[in-house]
């Protein structure tokens, strides 16, 4: 993918490395600028990104490369609104769906992003080392990152002439990784995705929203901050604490068999379908004890 010279690439402050670092590395050589949308004080990332895209007098946007929700804050980002704003400028849209694919519905036919990337190990109950990319048909003539025999029309070991036809295949298979036929992890990824599809994303989102709402209601009473419900994802809850209160909490909870993650000064709580109400209540009780001690 080539970003036009003189344009802007929109990224999010403290977004995960995947949708950010590539553009920072390319900017000088390719002649575009990287604009970082600062974390909004009110938690409304959608409004902040739209404001950056539509800012009067700014260079045109060539690309927005953002996550579908903020990994450390658990804040939802309305990719449909952002996609519409980008189309009005003729800009490309790359979505890192790592934090949402498997829980939140994304219809690429109506959304029409340029690229969507996501691994299987997060919400799709799959293995590490497997990831997928959606490439819009208009970009399927691009040059892949890896130059593989499987990405060419007829480069085969069984041929009498090895490089019989080294032209790229005509679809997105040209972007496949080398050694793609790793049968164990492909089977694991397929089974995880089939399970998720069988349950249905609305049912998964509803279940996880019930758990995170239960936790949010419980922690508010002990002075812990959470985003308003309309701004946060149903499955990722980011807790904020008074200065210094987070220190030692994650390790202390782990000692009690309660596992959460520190994320940029916050505590990320991400239940999945294998968690239940008792797990949520146990977490709130353990956190309350730790904060009182």
């Amino acid at each position: 993918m080539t970003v036009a010279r003189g344009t802007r690439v929109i990224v999010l402050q403290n977004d995960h490395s995947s949708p950010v670092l590539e553009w920072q590395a390319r900017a000088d050589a390719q002649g575009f600028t990287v604009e970082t949308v600062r974390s909004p004080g009110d938690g409304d990332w959608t409004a902040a990104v739209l404001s950056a895209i539509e800012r009067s007098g700014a260079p045109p946007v060539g690309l927005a490369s953002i996550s579908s929700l903020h990994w450390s804050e658990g804040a939802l980002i309305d990719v449909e609104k952002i996609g519409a704003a980008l189309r009005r400028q003729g800009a490309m849209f790359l979505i890192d769906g790592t934090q949402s694919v498997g829980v939140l519905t994304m219809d690429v036919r109506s959304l029409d992003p340029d690229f969507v990337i996501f691994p299987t190990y997060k919400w799709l109950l799959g293995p590490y080392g497997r990831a997928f990319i959606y490439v819009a048909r208009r970009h399927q003539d691009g040059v892949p990152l890896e130059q593989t025999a499987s990405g060419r029309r007829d480069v085969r070991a069984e041929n009498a002439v090895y490089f019989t036809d080294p032209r790229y295949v005509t679809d997105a298979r040209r972007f496949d990784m080398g050694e793609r036929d790793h049968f164990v992890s492909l089977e694991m990824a397929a089974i995880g995705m089939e399970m998720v599809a069988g349950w249905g994303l609305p049912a998964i989102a509803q279940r996880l929203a019930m758990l995170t709402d239960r936790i949010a209601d419980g922690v508010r009473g002990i002075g812990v901050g959470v985003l308003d419900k309309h701004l946060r994802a149903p499955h990722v809850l980011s807790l904020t604490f008074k200065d210094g209160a987070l220190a030692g909490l994650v390790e202390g909870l782990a000692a009690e068999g309660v596992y959460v993650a520190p994320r940029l000064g916050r505590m990320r709580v991400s239940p999945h379908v294998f968690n239940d109400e008792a797990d949520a209540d146990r977490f709130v009780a353990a956190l309350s004890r730790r904060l009182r001690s």
Side-chain angles (χ1 to χ4, degrees):
M1 180 191 352
T2 300
V3 179
R5 299 185 70 85
T7 63
R8 295 178 289 152
V9 170
I10 301 292
V11 300
L12 309 180
Q13 183 180 23
N14 290 329
D15 200 356
H16 211 282
S17 57
S18 302
V20 175
L21 295 181
E22 184 70 22
W23 313 115
Q24 291 179 343
R26 291 190 186 195
D28 288 343
Q30 295 190 4
F32 58 81
T33 59
V34 177
E35 179 174 332
T36 301
V37 179
R38 300 300 172 188
S39 180
D42 61 0
D44 190 345
W45 274 103
T46 300
V49 174
L50 289 174
S51 178
I53 292 171
E54 297 168 349
R55 191 173 70 253
S56 177
V61 178
L63 167 73
S65 178
I66 64 175
S67 295
S68 46
L69 65 93
H70 202 286
W71 69 294
S72 68
E73 298 182 19
L76 279 172
I77 299 171
D78 192 328
V79 293
E80 292 188 1
K81 289 182 178 178
I82 291 169
L86 292 169
R87 281 194 295 274
R88 289 193 291 270
Q89 293 204 18
M92 293 183 290
F93 194 12
L94 184 153
I95 302 171
D96 180 354
T98 299
Q99 307 296 332
S100 65
V101 171
V103 179
L104 302 179
T105 300
M106 182 187 299
D107 185 347
V108 295
R109 289 170 296 186
S110 59
L111 180 60
D112 193 28
D114 295 273
F115 306 91
V116 181
I117 55 176
F118 59 92
T120 63
Y121 76 94
K122 279 283 184 183
W123 299 98
L124 291 167
L125 301 175
Y128 282 97
R130 278 291 165 187
F132 292 88
I133 180 171
Y134 164 82
V135 181
R137 192 171 297 277
R138 57 186 171 273
H139 296 298
Q140 289 183 11
D141 61 350
V143 177
L145 295 175
E146 294 188 69
Q147 302 301 323
T148 65
S150 59
R152 306 304 178 107
R153 296 187 189 185
D154 196 3
V155 177
R156 305 290 180 267
E158 60 270 21
N159 291 349
V161 177
Y162 186 40
F163 294 100
T164 301
D165 187 350
R167 291 178 297 167
Y168 291 119
V169 295
T170 57
D171 56 28
R173 289 176 300 159
R174 70 171 66 187
F175 301 108
D176 282 352
M177 64 178 287
E179 297 297 336
R180 63 184 180 181
D181 299 327
H182 194 285
F183 300 113
V184 173
S185 66
L186 278 175
E187 180 72 5
M188 292 168 67
I191 290 172
M193 288 188 284
E194 288 164 0
M195 289 173 61
V196 168
W199 294 327
L201 298 192
I204 294 172
Q206 182 180 30
R207 172 68 182 174
L208 300 186
M210 180 275 293
L211 293 175
T212 55
D213 288 349
R214 191 181 184 101
I215 294 170
D217 291 342
V219 301
R220 283 195 186 96
I222 56 176
V224 177
V226 298
L227 276 177
D228 290 341
K229 184 173 180 176
H230 73 283
L231 293 172
R232 68 175 188 256
H235 56 302
V236 178
L237 193 64
S238 184
L239 310 183
T240 56
F241 299 83
K242 295 178 181 178
D243 290 344
L246 183 59
L249 271 180
V250 173
E251 296 80 3
L253 290 169
E256 298 187 42
V258 178
Y259 299 98
V260 292
R263 292 291 182 264
L264 305 180
R266 300 176 174 85
M267 179 184 290
R268 173 175 157 142
V269 184
S270 306
H272 208 341
V273 292
F274 41 73
N275 295 114
D276 59 18
E277 293 88 335
D279 292 327
D281 294 344
R282 182 166 166 250
F283 166 72
V284 173
L287 182 61
S288 297
R289 288 193 303 271
R290 290 280 164 181
L291 289 176
R292 286 198 302 266
S293 63

